[in-house]
Amino acid sequence: MDIDDEKRRLRARFRSLRRDLTADGGPALAGYLVAGLTLLELEPGRDAAAGYWPMDGEADIRPAMELLAAKGFATALPVVAKPGSPLLFRAWRPSEALRRGPHGASEPLEDAPEVEPTLILLPLVAFDGLGFRLGMGGGYYDRTLAALRARRRVVAVGVGHGRQRVDRLPCDRHDQPLDWVLTEEGLEKTP
């Protein structure tokens, strides 16, 4: 079995598991993230945090985004500018209007200013102990992290459920590792 086939198989299995997990953990995740901000070496007013709007059973990070905004961080959500390109991040604050993006995700309105985040919270289909993640298969976050990391330091935190962990994921050379993983068990540094 080649890497792409193995990823497809794992993606189907873990997307189903992710949808079946009933506890979203939103408030607990928010508490773990905010408690870990000193570990992440981020500061309100200086750093911007990008999250995502949950869909397809993804962990609900909206409470964490609300807390980050309340603490003074600039907050943003991803936008698919065009297929095959890195994501853009547009400013968004809790309670602001959103629109439906090309892949069904909720995105900030087109007139929201672009933001270059220091912290990116990424959804997980699965993850391993080496810090690699399995996403939905479009490669958007891998392209985005590669582009941002070529310019500056960015902290990538994968967010999911502890049961989404596997021993080792199949990886290609373009797969970007996470710096941290956030689950209902807390915030964990990756190697």
Side-chain angles (χ1 to χ4, degrees):
M1 179 181 318
D2 74 1
I3 287 177
D4 291 336
D5 288 339
E6 190 174 354
K7 284 183 175 184
R8 274 191 287 278
R9 184 183 58 76
L10 286 168
R11 195 170 283 116
R13 178 178 146 212
F14 279 93
R15 281 182 72 186
S16 177
L17 171 68
R18 183 176 70 180
R19 284 188 296 266
D20 289 344
L21 296 171
T22 55
D24 67 5
L29 292 174
Y32 289 134
L33 179 65
V34 171
L37 286 175
T38 55
L39 295 172
L40 301 176
E41 300 177 1
L42 302 173
E43 295 178 19
R46 181 192 76 185
D47 293 304
Y52 58 89
W53 197 264
M55 55 188 266
D56 192 44
E58 293 169 343
D60 188 354
I61 62 161
R62 291 175 290 189
M65 294 297 288
E66 289 172 7
L67 278 172
L68 289 167
K71 287 194 164 293
F73 288 88
T75 51
L77 293 176
V79 173
V80 175
K82 61 182 179 178
S85 66
L87 297 166
L88 297 177
F89 295 95
R90 293 198 182 279
W92 173 80
R93 305 285 288 177
S95 79
E96 289 183 349
L98 296 168
R99 69 180 186 95
R100 176 85 48 213
H103 296 288
S106 296
E107 300 178 345
L109 302 178
E110 291 178 0
D111 62 349
E114 284 187 37
V115 172
E116 190 163 293
T118 311
L119 168 67
I120 301 177
L121 303 175
L122 300 83
L124 302 169
V125 172
F127 67 98
D128 68 19
L130 297 175
F132 288 99
R133 71 181 276 279
L134 184 67
M136 297 293 278
Y140 285 100
Y141 279 107
D142 290 314
R143 285 188 294 278
T144 302
L145 288 173
L148 288 172
R149 286 172 169 164
R151 293 193 302 271
R152 62 191 296 243
R153 177 182 175 265
V154 62
V155 178
V157 179
V159 185
H161 192 282
R163 289 179 48 200
Q164 292 170 259
R165 180 189 300 265
V166 298
D167 290 333
R168 182 152 179 130
L169 286 171
C171 293
D172 289 320
R173 67 178 187 277
H174 69 272
D175 289 322
Q176 292 287 310
L178 301 167
D179 300 297
W180 298 81
V181 174
L182 178 63
T183 70
E184 77 285 0
E185 298 161 5
L187 186 64
E188 176 186 337
K189 178 86 172 112
T190 63

